[in-house]
């Protein structure tokens, strides 16, 4: 950066001064009746609202009454400037073009949600209305400015929504990055009625799944786990969401089922490789379970035992997930695999007992 000032000292003299409110040496943001103010103190002062003790009007109170320092309005304090928005007249912090935060937010959203024809994409008008009506437009502006230098951020997602590059379905949101931003946006779209309301933990599971699938190296395992999730885990979560609602522990349990199944598949794969060349036996799975230290007796009752021997591997792992001892043994057996898959989850130890879901075992 090239400075047009002869010396740092000159720059200091012209632009820096001691703030009359906080006493720190800062850039001058304004000259008020009680002295120079810095940006921080100016913003804080114009946010102060109430009934002015001088004139009885309800408005912003950035001034200080001489003597006792009670907040008063700009008129009573004798300000030489106003803080009225040049568009809507709201008195508060002013941004570029002397616009208040809400008007600035409105302009920013109008530009971002443009469908390419100079208007907000009609389907997104409810989202626009929700966002501009929020209590703190400053928070929304900060959200839009987040991760500015990154390839994806809230502004970019809104832009893509406006241009129709992201379809208005829950599925479209589950693969989007950054995940937290996509999740927040999905919630806003539900609140504004653009997307149908679905359980937030169901959403959270569906957002988690693609990342987990991407972490599996064997494409055959990816297919199996995807099927397992689609036909076994998700229908149960949906049924649960319809009956009541999904709790955080039910959501975690669903992810653990997927992780157990993945670890189990990997373990089976390694076993099969080391047995290459040997003839396949009809009781293969049963033998494998025994080798893994999981006697069929670990399952209670003949019906479950039968299932253990007949169901596909991920479903077996699912069933094993209900039994703490066999599960932790399985976890030990699959050691490296397991800890790699569980690495992202620091909230629980991988061997902790998955919550038993009432009426589901
Ligand atoms: Zn200050
Ligand atoms: Zn007043
Ligand atoms: Zn305004």
């Amino acid at each position: 950066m090239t400075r047009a000032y002869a010396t740092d000292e000159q720059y200091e003299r012209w632009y820096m001064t001691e703030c009359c409110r906080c006493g720190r040496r800062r850039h001058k943001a304004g000259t008020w009746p009680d002295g120079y103010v810095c940006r921080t103190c100016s913003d804080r002062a114009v946010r102060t609202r109430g009934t002015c003790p001088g004139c009885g009007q309800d408005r912003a109170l950035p001034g200080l009454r001489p003597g006792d320092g009670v907040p008063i309005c700009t008129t009573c304090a004798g300000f030489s400037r106003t803080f009225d928005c040049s568009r809507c007249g709201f008195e508060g912090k002013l941004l570029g073009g002397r616009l208040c935060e809400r008007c600035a937010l409105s302009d920013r959203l109008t530009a971002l949600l443009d469908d390419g024809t100079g208007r907000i994409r009609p389907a997104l008008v409810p989202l626009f209305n929700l966002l501009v009506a929020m209590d703190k437009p400053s928070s929304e502006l900060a959200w839009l400015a987040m991760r500015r230098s990154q390839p994806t951020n809230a502004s970019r997602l809104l832009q893509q929504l406006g241009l129709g590059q992201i379809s208005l379905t829950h599925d479209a949101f589950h693969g989007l990055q950054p995940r937290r931003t996509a999740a927040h946006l999905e919630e806003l779209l539900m609140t504004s009625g653009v997307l149908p309301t679905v359980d937030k933990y169901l959403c959270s599971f569906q957002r988690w799944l693609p990342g987990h699938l991407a972490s599996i190296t064997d494409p055959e395992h990816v297919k199996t786990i995807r099927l397992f999730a689609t036909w076994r885990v998700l229908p149960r979560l949906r049924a649960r969401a319809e009956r009541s609602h999904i709790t955080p522990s039910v959501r975690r349990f669903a992810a653990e089922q997927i992780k157990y199944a993945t670890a189990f598949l990997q373990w089976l794969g390694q076993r099969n490789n080391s047995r290459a060349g040997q003839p396949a036996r009809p009781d293969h799975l049963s033998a494998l379970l025994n080798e893994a230290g999981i006697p069929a007796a670990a399952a209670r009752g003949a019906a479950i035992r039968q299932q253990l021997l007949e169901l596909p591997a991920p479903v077996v792992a699912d069933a094993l997930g209900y039994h703490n001892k066999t599960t932790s043994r399985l976890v030990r057996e699959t050691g490296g695999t397991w800890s790699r898959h569980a690495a992202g989850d620091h909230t629980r130890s991988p061997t902790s007992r998955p919550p038993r879901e009432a009426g589901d075992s």
Side-chain angles (χ1 to χ4, degrees):
M1 192 180 87
T2 317
R3 276 186 191 154
Y5 320 106
T7 61
D8 282 354
E9 191 194 332
Q10 200 176 20
Y11 178 85
E12 261 273 325
R13 190 146 24 89
W14 286 347
Y15 292 96
M16 308 284 285
T17 190
E18 193 172 291
C19 170
C20 70
R21 298 280 172 108
C22 67
R24 289 177 298 181
R25 249 195 115 62
R26 306 294 287 270
H27 281 92
K28 298 174 196 171
T31 312
W32 289 5
D34 48 327
Y36 293 114
V37 285
C38 71
R39 171 57 52 202
T40 312
C41 291
S42 167
D43 288 352
R44 185 184 302 135
V46 292
R47 265 204 309 271
T48 312
R49 308 191 74 84
T51 307
C52 174
C55 61
Q57 283 186 45
D58 196 32
R59 54 185 292 196
L61 305 174
L64 295 182
R65 188 161 65 190
D68 58 6
V70 168
I72 51 175
C73 75
T74 53
T75 312
C76 293
F79 273 62
S80 59
R81 60 161 297 181
T82 67
F83 296 94
D84 299 339
C85 170
S86 62
R87 186 181 300 162
C88 72
F90 178 82
E91 191 181 28
K93 179 181 176 178
L94 296 182
L95 301 172
R98 290 185 59 83
L99 290 178
C100 71
E101 290 172 317
R102 202 174 298 281
C103 285
L105 174 65
S106 165
D107 282 2
R108 181 104 180 87
L109 288 170
T110 303
L112 287 172
L113 296 173
D114 194 298
D115 65 359
T117 69
R119 54 156 199 192
I120 295 174
R121 175 168 291 273
L124 297 173
V125 169
L127 174 69
F128 171 86
N129 290 338
L130 175 77
L131 286 171
V132 289
M134 291 259 179
D135 274 353
K136 282 188 174 173
S138 57
S139 309
E140 305 312 308
L141 284 168
W143 181 58
L144 293 178
M146 260 170 61
R147 300 168 57 100
R148 262 256 168 83
S149 57
Q150 311 284 318
T152 69
N153 50 48
S155 290
R156 183 78 194 111
L157 290 183
L158 288 177
Q159 221 167 23
Q160 289 175 308
L161 269 178
L163 294 171
Q165 292 167 354
I166 299 170
S167 67
L168 286 171
T169 62
H170 282 286
D171 279 349
F173 277 81
H174 297 151
L176 288 179
Q177 292 292 332
R179 239 162 77 184
R180 289 175 82 96
T181 310
H184 181 55
L185 193 50
E186 190 179 8
E187 261 170 47
L188 290 170
L189 286 165
M190 284 192 278
T191 309
S192 57
V194 177
L195 283 180
T197 307
V198 296
D199 191 282
K200 81 175 199 189
Y201 288 109
L202 183 61
C203 274
S204 142
F205 175 79
Q206 288 178 293
R207 267 193 301 277
W208 169 82
L209 189 61
H212 175 76
L213 291 174
S215 75
I216 305 173
T217 42
D218 187 326
E220 284 306 311
H221 291 181
V222 174
K223 269 188 222 161
T224 312
I225 296 296
R226 196 193 303 278
L227 286 174
F228 178 51
T230 308
W231 298 111
R232 177 87 184 220
V233 180
L234 274 167
R236 265 203 224 149
L237 283 178
R238 289 204 182 94
R240 171 79 180 227
E242 293 225 328
R243 278 203 312 272
S244 53
H245 65 281
I246 297 172
T247 60
S249 66
V250 169
R251 150 74 178 82
R252 265 200 309 272
F253 179 60
E256 275 170 8
Q257 283 184 298
I258 299 282
K259 286 181 194 171
Y260 283 137
T262 307
F264 191 70
L265 272 185
Q266 184 124 359
W267 180 84
L268 278 182
Q270 282 159 2
R271 278 298 150 120
N272 284 340
N273 285 343
S274 65
R275 287 164 163 273
Q278 292 182 22
R281 301 195 312 249
D283 61 343
H284 203 50
L285 183 55
S286 164
L288 285 172
L289 285 171
N290 276 320
E291 265 182 49
I294 308 164
R300 292 190 198 93
I304 297 178
R305 192 154 56 238
Q306 194 57 34
Q307 275 184 25
L308 261 180
L309 300 178
E310 285 174 3
L311 291 176
V315 181
V316 172
D318 169 31
L320 291 173
Y322 291 99
H323 303 286
N324 192 37
K325 274 185 186 164
T326 47
T327 302
S328 34
R329 195 173 300 158
L330 173 65
V331 167
R332 273 202 307 280
E333 287 280 334
T334 57
T337 313
W338 177 263
S339 37
R340 191 161 55 79
H341 285 299
D345 186 0
H346 302 294
T347 55
R348 292 163 66 86
S349 107
T351 52
S352 67
R353 184 189 179 84
R356 188 186 292 262
E357 202 181 351
D360 212 357
S361 51

